[in-house]
Amino acid sequence: MTSTTPADTTPADTTPTATATATVFPPTPGPAYLWFGEVPEHLLTKTQLASLELPRRPGGPVRATVEGRTPGGTDTFDLYDLGESVPTAATGAQLAAAAARSATARLCEECGARPEAPPAARTDPKNGPGRLLCRSCLAIDKIRHTQQLLRAESAAAAKELADLVAERGEHLVVLDAAYTLRSTPSGRQVPAAAALTALDLFGTVLFRRVLRLTGPRTPCPDPDAVPAAATLDGLSGILAGRTVLMWDLDDLDALHAALRRAGIDVPAFLPRRRRSLHELVTRWRADVTTNARLRPAIAPGTADRLLHLVHLVAGTTGARRPGEAALPGL
């Protein structure tokens, strides 16, 4: 979903005020936000402070900056802490007179709230200007809009995996990699062993080995680890002609890097047919965060749990061939 970043173009308060001496604060380093949706509620621009029903002005230094769109392009706006702000010099009588002249609506048309800041107009490109919504109702509206868009994405993701299961069937294999780390003399953590597990669609173990990723003179913390090169050659034969499903294809990057560091030739053990499931499962879950963004799916963690997830998304079962036993939990 495309998010609209509110531009800091609210007209400054035109209420007559008494002359006040501006306080100059030294610059203070702070966060640099990329859009207004990231900014915490207590940080406001000068214009936003002035647009409050009881206007205020900065009473402290700049606490952060934010990038925003303006009619002329993009600009950087200074943000001030609301808790440090002070009232403007406008009197109650002046504010009452200004309110009587103002056409600014301050009532949320969804919940009836009267927020300090003017409600934002929710614009619908098809139907023109929408309702005026407070900050909370605007966030809820964005979430609902995103959820509606993701319904079709979720169904499409499920169909994509179901079609793959139907097309490839017994030629599908789930591959998982888990690493055992060791500390280098500099204190850095590097992989010392990689546990690779490959299952077919029925939960049958096709390959399960712990590969040693250290050189012959470097101790390996896993006593069951076996030399990697010849073992991966065997895995290459098992996977030949199959479609490999992994949570993320980058999961093998640490394995390849460790083999190169140990001076071991990296065999091309993965077939050309392979599929990363992270993005697909994220779309299928269609779980939206409170800021209307798609929440990334969590890695299953083991091969059998990844296989279980494949069946959940595809709407299939882990039915087995006669006489075959499944892994625990399948």
Side-chain angles (χ1 to χ4, degrees):
M1 184 187 76
T2 302
S3 300
T4 303
T5 305
D8 187 31
T9 56
T10 306
D13 180 61
T14 57
T15 305
T17 59
T19 303
T21 302
T23 305
V24 179
F25 298 97
T28 303
Y33 298 103
L34 298 180
W35 67 299
F36 274 88
E38 296 178 332
V39 178
E41 292 193 12
H42 70 282
L43 295 178
L44 302 173
T45 66
K46 284 183 178 180
T47 302
Q48 289 172 329
L49 287 170
S51 69
L52 299 177
E53 191 162 29
L54 302 180
R56 303 179 73 84
R57 59 181 176 82
V62 174
R63 294 301 183 185
T65 59
V66 61
E67 300 293 321
R69 290 199 294 266
T70 69
T74 60
D75 203 351
T76 301
F77 302 97
D78 294 333
L79 296 169
Y80 302 88
D81 194 323
L82 177 61
E84 297 174 340
S85 68
V86 296
T88 62
T91 66
Q94 290 171 331
L95 293 177
R101 298 191 305 268
S102 175
T104 301
R106 293 190 174 272
L107 186 70
C108 175
E109 296 180 19
E110 176 64 26
C111 70
R114 302 186 63 91
E116 301 270 3
R122 178 62 169 165
T123 302
D124 186 338
K126 296 181 179 179
N127 303 319
R131 298 173 301 164
L132 292 175
L133 302 178
C134 68
R135 187 164 182 168
S136 295
C137 288
L138 181 61
I140 293 171
D141 189 67
K142 289 180 178 179
I143 291 172
R144 293 300 184 208
H145 181 66
T146 304
Q147 290 172 331
Q148 184 177 6
L149 294 176
L150 287 174
R151 289 174 187 168
E153 282 291 313
S154 178
K159 184 179 185 304
E160 182 179 341
L161 191 54
D163 289 347
L164 182 60
V165 170
E167 176 187 349
R168 297 296 293 167
E170 296 186 8
H171 297 288
L172 281 178
V173 58
V174 169
L175 180 64
D176 177 76
Y179 296 94
T180 301
L181 303 179
R182 68 177 181 85
S183 296
T184 64
S186 64
R188 190 163 59 95
Q189 295 287 306
V190 297
L196 299 184
T197 304
L199 309 175
D200 70 7
L201 195 62
F202 307 96
T204 305
V205 178
L206 304 176
F207 182 90
R208 179 177 284 164
R209 296 286 189 279
V210 180
L211 311 185
R212 180 188 179 99
L213 303 181
T214 59
R217 298 183 180 181
T218 304
C220 179
D222 195 321
D224 298 324
V226 297
T231 307
L232 288 177
D233 285 338
L235 177 60
S236 178
I238 293 173
L239 299 181
R242 294 179 178 266
T243 298
V244 177
L245 301 179
M246 297 184 61
W247 180 245
D248 196 321
L249 297 182
D250 292 343
D251 291 345
L252 294 178
D253 287 354
L255 170 61
H256 292 156
L259 292 175
R260 286 193 294 269
R261 282 195 302 271
I264 302 173
D265 291 335
V266 181
F269 59 88
L270 281 181
R272 289 186 177 182
R273 289 179 176 267
R274 48 186 182 267
R275 181 70 164 85
S276 173
L277 295 181
H278 184 198
E279 180 268 342
L280 185 143
V281 174
T282 295
R283 288 166 45 214
W284 171 74
R285 291 201 178 280
D287 187 14
V288 181
T289 66
T290 55
N291 60 357
R293 293 183 177 181
L294 192 58
R295 179 176 285 109
I298 300 172
T302 61
D304 61 310
R305 290 163 67 103
L306 180 57
L307 177 58
H308 173 64
L309 185 57
V310 168
H311 289 302
L312 276 179
V313 177
T316 56
T317 63
R320 299 177 298 281
R321 305 182 189 92
E324 287 188 339
L327 291 178
L330 290 179

